[in-house]
Amino acid sequence: MANYADFQLGLYLAGMAGDTPPYPLTFAGLEAAAEAKMEHRLWDYVAGGAGDEHTQRGNVEAFLRWGIMPRMLSGAAERDLSVELFGHLLPTPIFMAPIGVLGVMTDDEHGDLAAAAASAASGVPMVASTLMQDPMEDVAAALGDTPGFFQLYTPNDRELAESFVRRAETAGFQGIVVTLDTWTLGYRPRDLQHATFPQLRGSCLVNYTSDPVFRGRLAVPPEEDPAAAALQWAMTFGNPTLTWEDLAWLRDLTDLPLLLKGICHPDDVRRAKDAGIDGIYCSNHGGRQAASAPALELLPAVVDAAEGMPVLFDSGVRSGPDVVKALALGATAVGIGRPYGYGAVLGGRAGIEFVLSCLLAETDLTMALNGYRSVADLTREVLVRT
């Protein structure tokens, strides 16, 4: 078992030789450094949220309403952070949540490959977005032995949706995550102020422009008319007609584990379970889509309704204590979004690995100093309202 807390010891030892950490260690520091470096329209797309961004702030503040009960003399000198997910024994309970512009957030504009390489090195799984800067086949190959999952924005073209799923399956992804809350764009004033966003400028559409079905919908190849390809993407991207009745079609597309992302109501959990869905992904899209309740407040009821079915969670996770709190409320695994995205901005693969190491060290130390030896010890009883 790795003691991820040893990462901080390495930083102290490096300091004895005069070396200081290459990147900020707090979310606020990462955020400020990334903002200073990023092009302003891309920054607003990544950092912004829906409406007045109250939901986005609420996601973060929800974690502050919970404290962790310390237990002493519990023999927590070594911890086991491993979790099991769809038959995979993962070394840690965190995963990289999908970021639809990750590809253009690194200096070389290959951010998806950078995250995949970081996943391979760390054992932290990646949920790769449909919106990539490199083809899904290349990203899957870069994951090495670490299981990866493909996040599907279900297009309104069923043949294209089926092609995406088949390609993901053939590429070696270990599950399909269907995002439900983005059949149309949320009201995002920051993007509206610029009157554009990255995909309309042709970024992160490679999975579309490399797909034979999508290419067959174009009058000329996308290499000859990128603007026409972007327009075709915009007309294809969302699927407002997707309903519960369509789950049978989605379920029949693949034998891989199928998860629904954006499920936050217990009744929806039960309907998904009855439809043969394998996992729930509780999320409000980081506050980017609809104004809603903080996702963390909805997690316990989702977990109860799942009755043992895996529940992934993201939205507002910024630190190791946040990870511990989400696990204690019942999440099977906890997704990190903007923190590792900002690491990508600052240092590509190295920046992502640094952020993951920081989060894992803080998670490990939070468990250790509060007296919890394994993820199994993190039940709701360890939390107190503050």
Side-chain angles (χ1 to χ4, degrees):
M1 292 183 294
N3 269 5
Y4 293 98
D6 290 345
F7 173 74
Q8 75 165 2
L9 177 60
L11 295 181
Y12 283 128
L13 291 175
M16 295 176 68
D19 296 327
T20 55
Y23 311 106
L25 281 90
T26 65
F27 178 78
L30 291 168
E31 187 175 48
E35 181 179 10
K37 184 175 180 180
M38 293 176 76
E39 188 267 337
H40 67 286
R41 289 174 300 182
L42 181 58
W43 166 255
D44 278 341
Y45 182 86
V46 172
D52 64 2
E53 301 183 353
H54 176 79
T55 300
Q56 186 171 310
R57 293 189 298 272
N59 282 338
V60 175
E61 293 165 0
F63 285 94
L64 303 180
R65 293 193 281 272
W66 291 103
I68 301 168
M69 178 67 73
R71 300 301 300 271
M72 297 297 103
L73 300 172
S74 60
E78 292 188 358
R79 278 80 54 203
D80 179 5
L81 269 63
S82 65
V83 297
E84 186 174 340
L85 184 65
F86 301 121
H88 302 284
L89 184 63
L90 305 177
T92 83
I94 71 172
F95 65 92
M96 285 183 275
I99 299 177
V101 290
L102 181 61
V104 293
M105 290 172 68
T106 55
D107 290 340
D108 64 0
E109 296 198 348
H110 292 288
D112 302 297
L113 291 176
S119 177
S122 65
V124 173
M126 173 188 185
V127 180
S129 175
T130 300
L131 299 169
M132 296 184 199
Q133 191 73 348
D134 288 282
M136 67 175 83
E137 291 82 2
D138 294 352
V139 174
L143 290 167
D145 294 330
T146 303
F149 298 81
F150 179 74
Q151 175 267 331
L152 175 68
Y153 284 123
T154 309
N156 58 26
D157 182 332
R158 280 202 171 195
E159 189 179 355
L160 179 59
E162 292 174 10
S163 181
F164 280 164
V165 172
R166 300 277 183 251
R167 288 174 60 192
E169 195 171 43
T170 301
F173 286 102
Q174 298 297 301
I176 306 295
V177 177
V178 181
T179 294
L180 302 177
D181 60 6
T182 315
W183 52 268
T184 189
L185 288 177
Y187 188 80
R188 303 177 191 169
R190 293 205 209 191
D191 295 333
L192 291 168
Q193 191 68 48
H194 299 303
T196 189
F197 55 87
Q199 289 78 23
L200 285 180
R201 290 180 277 139
S203 296
C204 303
L205 299 182
V206 170
N207 280 329
Y208 293 84
T209 58
S210 65
D211 193 276
V213 174
F214 184 83
R215 294 175 72 91
R217 306 293 192 251
L218 302 173
V220 297
E223 298 82 8
E224 296 180 16
D225 193 347
L231 181 61
Q232 178 65 26
W233 167 80
M235 294 188 297
T236 304
F237 174 73
N239 193 344
T241 64
L242 199 66
T243 68
W244 288 105
E245 285 66 38
D246 295 304
L247 286 188
W249 162 66
L250 286 168
R251 176 68 280 176
D252 287 344
L253 290 181
T254 180
D255 292 328
L256 291 174
L258 189 66
L259 298 87
L260 298 184
K261 182 175 184 285
I263 296 285
C264 293
H265 193 289
D267 287 348
D268 290 345
V269 177
R270 286 184 277 267
R271 291 194 71 170
K273 194 170 186 178
D274 290 343
I277 300 304
D278 301 291
I280 298 298
Y281 192 146
C282 178
S283 166
N284 64 17
H285 216 104
R288 293 175 56 76
Q289 278 298 98
S292 62
L296 191 72
E297 302 290 354
L298 308 173
L299 177 59
V302 167
V303 170
D304 289 344
E307 297 182 327
M309 184 167 55
V311 175
L312 278 62
F313 173 84
D314 74 20
S315 297
V317 180
R318 301 288 184 263
S319 68
D322 291 349
V323 173
V324 170
K325 293 171 187 178
L327 292 169
L329 289 174
T332 308
V334 180
I336 310 299
R338 288 182 178 92
Y340 90 84
Y342 295 154
V345 171
L346 300 177
R349 171 185 171 177
I352 296 171
E353 290 186 20
F354 183 86
V355 170
L356 294 177
S357 294
C358 289
L359 287 166
L360 287 169
E362 192 178 19
T363 300
D364 195 12
L365 281 166
T366 300
M367 292 175 60
L369 295 173
N370 283 293
Y372 300 103
R373 291 176 291 180
S374 71
V375 173
D377 292 337
L378 301 176
T379 64
R380 292 178 196 175
E381 287 70 30
V382 313
L383 299 180
V384 293
R385 279 286 187 176
T386 57

